[in-house]
Amino acid sequence: MRSLSLCILLALLVRPASAFEVDHWPDGAFTGQPTRLTWPAPAPLAKPLTLCILYPHLRDAYWLSVNQGMVEEAKRLEAKLRIHEAGGYGALAEQRKQLRQCVDEGSDAILLGAVSYGALADAIRQSPLPVFGLVNDLAPGLAVAQVGVPWYQMGWRIGHWLAERHPAGSQPVSVALFPGPDSGSGTALVESGFIDAIRDSAIRLVTTARGDNSREIQRTLVQQTLARHPGLDYLVGGAIAAEVAVNELAQHHADRPRVLATYFSHGVQRGLLRGKILAANSDQMREQGQLAVAQAVCLLRQPDATETQCPRVMGPPILTLSAPLSAPEHSLSDGDFRPVYRVGLAPTPP
């Protein structure tokens, strides 16, 4: 009996949250100052809904963590998921096709991790299904609701963290920025946020290297930058750029430049733990996945719900860290988790 009670307690501890601490933007866009609130997520569905989920890709820790959060919340709510990945941030044509495919498959709504901020506008407007923004911001008027964080803030917060350590008048330092793909998604916002944050400091941005979030491309960019700027003090980049930079520096037994990450991954967590990464943001991507499913279910069940009942633009608070996360389960997928493409549906035939 005692062991049964312990099993029940452990199950309750690891189950997805039924209430979330969120930042809420009541004006319908990720601008201005959000309100922090505790949002009680919806109860399980009496009648199942099928959500069609579109990701840019599932080849890095970020989207894998989003995937696990969505799977967890779908199981809690007894919703069905059908998941597709486009193949990368250049796959506009594929994601347009997948928007139509969601309709053909008989889904109730689309949760779109868009490969572009505005280039999918016509395809979204033509869809008869409600479209919810997932992680990546969409141009105004395209989504019924959105879960995410302001990517400007992701750049600004890391820049501000660094600028506080190198204020104007102190010894000048140099930095290279690796914001991610040049795709019109969040990259430009990360860049502008970082640049604004360091503007009145002793930090000099010597180069910006944009490229797809593949390890090969980011490794090449890092190698080229280190060769061209041997005296570099800091390297600031997305999780993959930060991870490959740590590896490159280790191979050359170098302790400079110091590395910072604009977003989070398992490798970034290890880098913080080992002192190889100085600071990093986490936008709690696993919880973003949970929130996205909960938000869609809430609004599909209550389309006329108030902002208090079903917030239209929200996301978890951004964490800026100089030490490893003590509770990474809101940010990172479990070590043994693998991509899931169907929840509550028969697997796709080979």
Side-chain angles (χ1 to χ4, degrees), residues 65-343:
S65 300
V66 172
N67 183 230
Q68 181 167 2
M70 300 189 87
V71 169
E72 290 171 325
E73 190 66 5
K75 288 180 177 178
R76 186 186 76 82
L77 291 173
E78 300 178 23
K80 299 178 181 181
L81 302 185
R82 184 179 286 109
I83 296 166
H84 304 283
E85 53 180 321
Y89 276 91
L92 265 172
E94 180 63 20
Q95 204 160 67
R96 286 192 186 101
K97 184 177 81 173
Q98 289 174 349
L99 282 161
R100 296 190 297 271
Q101 188 176 348
C102 289
V103 179
D104 296 339
E105 290 170 340
S107 302
D108 294 293
I110 299 169
L111 277 62
L112 175 60
V115 299
S116 171
Y117 174 74
L120 292 162
D122 288 345
I124 293 171
R125 292 191 184 105
Q126 290 167 11
S127 176
L129 299 179
V131 174
F132 293 81
L134 169 65
V135 177
N136 292 337
D137 197 10
L138 289 167
L142 294 181
V144 171
Q146 299 196 82
V147 164
V149 302
W151 279 87
Y152 175 92
Q153 284 295 319
M154 296 288 276
W156 188 90
R157 288 177 68 119
I158 281 292
H160 179 69
W161 191 96
L162 200 55
E164 284 192 320
R165 283 146 186 81
H166 300 283
S170 62
Q171 181 73 25
V173 294
S174 58
V175 61
L177 180 63
F178 298 76
D182 190 9
S183 65
S185 55
T187 301
L189 295 171
V190 172
E191 283 187 49
S192 60
F194 182 80
I195 290 167
D196 286 350
I198 66 171
R199 194 179 306 280
D200 296 317
S201 71
I203 300 164
R204 181 171 62 96
L205 179 60
V206 297
T207 187
T208 300
R210 304 174 191 88
D212 192 64
N213 280 327
S214 75
R215 301 193 78 81
E216 294 76 15
I217 290 173
Q218 291 296 320
R219 183 178 293 109
T220 299
L221 292 173
V222 167
Q223 289 171 342
Q224 291 173 344
T225 299
L226 293 177
R228 292 169 185 164
H229 303 279
L232 196 65
D233 294 300
Y234 293 101
L235 186 154
V236 178
I240 296 174
E243 290 173 18
V244 300
V246 168
N247 292 337
E248 286 295 316
L249 295 172
Q251 288 179 20
H252 294 89
H253 306 287
D255 59 1
R256 297 189 79 83
R258 303 301 302 274
V259 179
L260 297 89
T262 57
Y263 68 90
F264 213 64
S265 70
H266 302 78
V268 170
Q269 171 83 338
R270 289 191 294 271
L272 288 167
L273 183 65
R274 294 161 50 211
K276 302 298 183 182
I277 291 178
L278 198 60
N281 289 325
S282 171
D283 55 336
Q284 304 194 74
M285 49 279 197
R286 183 164 163 181
E287 187 165 301
Q288 283 194 61
Q290 294 174 351
L291 275 171
V293 172
Q295 181 192 62
V297 166
C298 187
L299 284 166
L300 289 171
R301 192 156 54 186
Q302 299 175 266
D304 299 323
T306 66
E307 283 288 331
T308 302
Q309 293 169 318
C310 302
R312 267 59 169 190
V313 179
M314 64 174 168
I318 298 171
L319 309 175
T320 301
L321 311 157
S322 54
L325 273 172
S326 58
E329 64 272 8
H330 297 294
S331 294
L332 298 174
S333 60
D334 296 336
D336 60 352
F337 181 78
R338 297 296 177 266
V340 173
Y341 294 89
R342 297 289 182 273
V343 174

Side-chain angles (χ1 to χ4, degrees), residues 9-16 72 286:
L9 176 60
L10 288 172
L12 290 171
L13 289 174
V14 300
R15 73 192 293 267
E72 290 171 325
R286 183 164 163 181

